[in-house]
Amino acid sequence: MAPEPTAVNAQVSEVARVFSAPDADPAWLLCDRHPSHAVAFTFVEPDGSTQDLTFGALRERSQRFAGLLATLGVGRGDRVATLMGKSVDLVTVLLGTWRVGAVYVPLFTAFAPEAVSSRLSGAGVKVVVADAGQAAKVPDGQWVPLVAGSEEQDGLAARLATAQPVRSSTAVGGDGAFVHMFTSGTTGAPKDVIHPLRYVAGWQSYLQLVLGVRGDSVYWCGADPGWAYGLYSAVVAPMASGLRSVLQLGGFDVSATWKALATLGVTDYAAAPTVFRSLRTSGVPVPEGLCLQRLSSAGEPLTAEVNEWAGPALGLKVHDHYGQTEVGMTVGFPHHPDLEVPVVPQAMGVPLPGWSVTVLKEGSSVEAEIGEPGLLAVDVKASPLMTFTGYGGRETTDRFTPDGRYYLSGDLATRNADGTLRFSSRDDDVIIMAGYRIGPFDVESVLVRHPAVTECAVVAAADEVRGEVIEAFVVLRAGIEASGDLVEELQDHVRQHYAAHAYPRRVHIVASLPKTPSGKIQRAQLRRSLDRTAEVTQ
């Protein structure tokens, strides 16, 4: 791996300095310093029509929402939540919230009422804005509810029309609270993470140096802003950079995605691996006239078959990136020409600018040997973009080594001789069979390359002899019938292409896999459902 260029280090340092300043003002940094005529967002409607929103129009709309918040007694440090899809109203609420120094609490629209209620209470929310179709999920509480998209007199549009705009903005400083959000809870109850304003520096650096988005790019991140990656990659980082971002309204649709990519001339596209797998297996032909130059993924490990398709079909490789809500994006394959390294199948990439990432021997602060599995960790002092100190804004040690030097990700990985890192599994997902440590991702990466498989997940099942064995949950491609012969074929496929001992002892053919709202597979739920899932076994 080539050393980081001095110019890149200088750029990271400058962005970190700007967002860490004691007088840092989020409204200024994200909007007001940019030319009023420049387009901030292009919204794509379900029918394919588009609407542009300039920084100037966004500034004026957010000033009115800031005025509305002021009448509700909302000020610096107060929490404002949304239960909204991508829209002009959403970005208006975000910027208006930050304009008065308040803290934004994102809620994903797929949440059930109980999840909404727990997060509103946990964050101490003062105002919550919900789309009309989501408002019924918001319970009565200490918060003031506002409804977007409603024609009612007390709806958001009517309230904005009469609100007196607040022309000033509140500086909160680099350490001031910016976003209060919750982890997805794949390995336990969701934990609250409070991002300071200086956390944005890592995402601006990620957008420019890793995603490679430039001033002449047409950039589209398909992730949902109810979660960290979508909020920061699709909304906050483009605003900080003064660059246009495409936001598609409504849910993901293969045909609509291809149409928007072609019609808008998108050059830079980022999405979850599930999206690329859907584009690959849908049967919808790739349209002509695409302008794609850079493809990126994040959220879960990128399996090899995606690039086996993307190379011939799109003439590009998808660059995988890794991060966490707590810290931001730390590892990946950068697109920046000064940082780019060859994309290696089933590897995470290299530490990104502003981050020092390594693999530690389990239970120590000692770096693991090349090829030795260990715990993926961030060197805190050597990572100028690091902001996390603990959950709920409190200092904590349970995610750090005892000496405080390393942040522990909870993910198992290995270091390769070429400088890349390779993801293995979540620490609590690892399968130990007869003394062998097996990462689910290793087996899944092989299974999903079988032509009958569209998606899969493997988990551990108790076994009297081996301690644990592998069981696989497999979603078949359309038109493929489940059978005992197919199960045996899948087992042999793993034996031949990965390891003889690591084949799944049982294969469950299922219609779909349980996932969190952010698209991560819920392996814990699969483990609980082993006895009641319809199965085809060997």
Side-chain angles (χ1 to χ4, degrees):
M1 180 181 65
E4 266 184 37
T6 302
V8 169
N9 286 329
Q11 184 171 341
V12 170
S13 297
E14 176 59 17
V15 173
R17 182 195 67 79
V18 168
F19 279 90
S20 299
D23 61 347
D25 178 341
W28 170 259
L29 292 172
L30 298 182
C31 178
D32 297 357
R33 62 174 172 161
H34 303 312
S36 295
H37 66 273
V39 175
F41 296 99
T42 294
F43 296 91
V44 182
E45 300 285 348
D47 63 4
S49 62
T50 62
Q51 174 187 1
D52 286 341
L53 180 69
T54 65
F55 282 102
L58 177 57
R59 181 176 64 246
E60 292 181 9
R61 287 180 59 87
S62 67
Q63 288 173 342
R64 286 193 173 276
F65 184 70
L68 173 56
L69 290 178
T71 65
L72 297 174
V74 175
R76 180 170 178 173
D78 290 328
R79 269 50 175 173
V80 177
T82 69
L83 190 61
M84 304 172 71
K86 304 167 189 174
S87 65
V88 173
D89 281 342
L90 174 65
V91 295
T92 297
V93 170
L94 265 63
L95 187 59
T97 297
W98 294 320
R99 189 171 290 282
V100 298
V103 183
Y104 174 58
V105 181
L107 299 174
F108 186 55
T109 54
F111 280 153
E114 182 178 348
V116 172
S117 179
S118 67
R119 285 162 172 79
L120 291 176
S121 298
V125 166
K126 199 164 184 176
V127 173
V128 55
V129 186
D131 287 335
Q134 297 284 332
K137 295 181 182 178
V138 179
D140 293 334
Q142 70 226 20
W143 41 80
V144 175
L146 297 173
V147 181
S150 170
E151 300 299 326
E152 299 296 325
Q153 190 172 3
D154 60 349
L156 179 63
R159 299 286 292 269
L160 285 178
T162 59
Q164 292 297 314
V166 172
R167 303 299 184 188
S168 60
S169 56
T170 301
V172 300
D175 289 323
F178 179 69
V179 166
H180 187 156
M181 69 190 318
F182 295 82
T183 62
S184 57
T186 57
T187 59
K191 304 178 183 70
D192 54 336
V193 180
I194 300 174
H195 296 148
L197 179 58
R198 59 190 176 91
Y199 179 81
V200 177
W203 289 92
Q204 182 174 344
S205 297
Y206 171 71
L207 182 82
Q208 296 174 349
L209 299 176
V210 182
L211 293 179
V213 180
R214 307 188 302 250
D216 60 350
S217 297
V218 178
Y219 169 65
W220 180 12
C221 173
D224 193 285
W227 297 97
Y229 190 79
L231 173 62
Y232 286 100
S233 286
V235 179
V236 176
M239 290 175 69
S241 303
L243 299 175
R244 176 171 69 136
S245 178
V246 174
L247 296 180
Q248 187 178 41
L249 282 61
F252 171 74
D253 177 81
V254 170
S255 296
T257 296
W258 281 130
K259 181 179 179 180
L261 288 170
T263 302
L264 294 174
V266 172
T267 58
D268 298 66
Y269 183 58
T274 300
V275 167
F276 288 105
R277 285 193 284 265
S278 297
L279 294 175
R280 167 181 171 261
T281 61
S282 67
V284 178
V286 177
E288 296 182 359
L290 292 176
C291 300
L292 292 170
Q293 298 176 15
R294 288 166 288 275
L295 300 173
S296 303
S297 72
E300 284 217 310
L302 185 72
T303 44
E305 86 287 350
V306 171
N307 273 327
E308 290 173 359
W309 161 78
L314 303 175
L316 298 169
K317 286 190 175 182
V318 181
H319 289 218
D320 200 18
H321 303 138
Y322 165 91
Q324 292 186 327
T325 300
E326 291 87 342
V327 295
M329 305 305 292
T330 58
V331 179
F333 289 100
H335 286 283
H336 191 287
D338 293 339
L339 301 173
E340 193 169 7
V341 296
V343 173
V344 180
Q346 297 176 207
M348 302 169 68
V350 296
L352 300 178
W355 297 98
S356 176
V357 184
T358 190
V359 176
L360 301 180
K361 293 178 181 290
E362 292 189 57
S364 75
S365 293
V366 178
E367 196 169 55
E369 302 296 329
I370 298 297
E372 178 185 4
L375 198 59
L376 190 72
V378 174
D379 188 333
V380 174
K381 292 185 178 179
S383 301
L385 296 177
M386 180 71 173
T387 63
F388 180 76
T389 59
Y391 293 105
R394 300 179 295 273
E395 297 285 338
T396 185
T397 58
D398 61 356
R399 291 302 295 266
F400 296 86
T401 53
D403 58 8
R405 177 177 175 181
Y406 293 101
Y407 164 82
L408 304 174
S409 69
D411 290 324
L412 298 178
T414 54
R415 291 190 303 137
N416 299 325
D418 62 1
T420 60
L421 297 161
R422 187 176 188 277
F423 178 85
S424 178
S425 72
R426 288 290 305 174
D427 188 30
D428 46 9
D429 284 334
V430 70
I431 301 166
I432 303 176
M433 186 181 70
Y436 292 100
R437 297 176 65 85
I438 302 168
F441 177 58
D442 296 317
V443 182
E444 292 164 0
S445 296
V446 173
L447 274 174
V448 79
R449 297 177 71 177
H450 190 281
V453 177
T454 186
E455 198 169 28
C456 69
V458 303
V459 299
D463 183 83
E464 291 183 2
V465 177
R466 301 176 183 85
E468 292 180 332
V469 294
I470 298 170
E471 296 204 14
F473 291 78
V474 172
V475 179
L476 299 178
R477 290 201 184 192
I480 302 295
E481 296 292 332
S483 68
D485 288 343
L486 177 58
V487 167
E488 183 174 352
E489 186 178 328
L490 293 175
Q491 292 171 322
D492 285 341
H493 185 71
V494 176
R495 290 189 187 100
Q496 295 169 12
H497 296 280
Y498 177 52
H501 71 283
Y503 73 92
R505 264 54 180 185
R506 290 201 294 176
V507 177
H508 307 260
I509 306 299
V510 295
S512 62
L513 299 175
K515 297 177 182 178
T516 68
S518 59
K520 297 178 182 178
I521 294 171
Q522 294 179 303
R523 292 181 177 82
Q525 184 171 329
L526 291 174
R527 288 191 289 266
R528 290 193 297 268
S529 67
L530 282 175
D531 292 336
R532 60 181 185 272
T533 302
E535 62 185 55
V536 177
T537 62
Q538 167 69 359

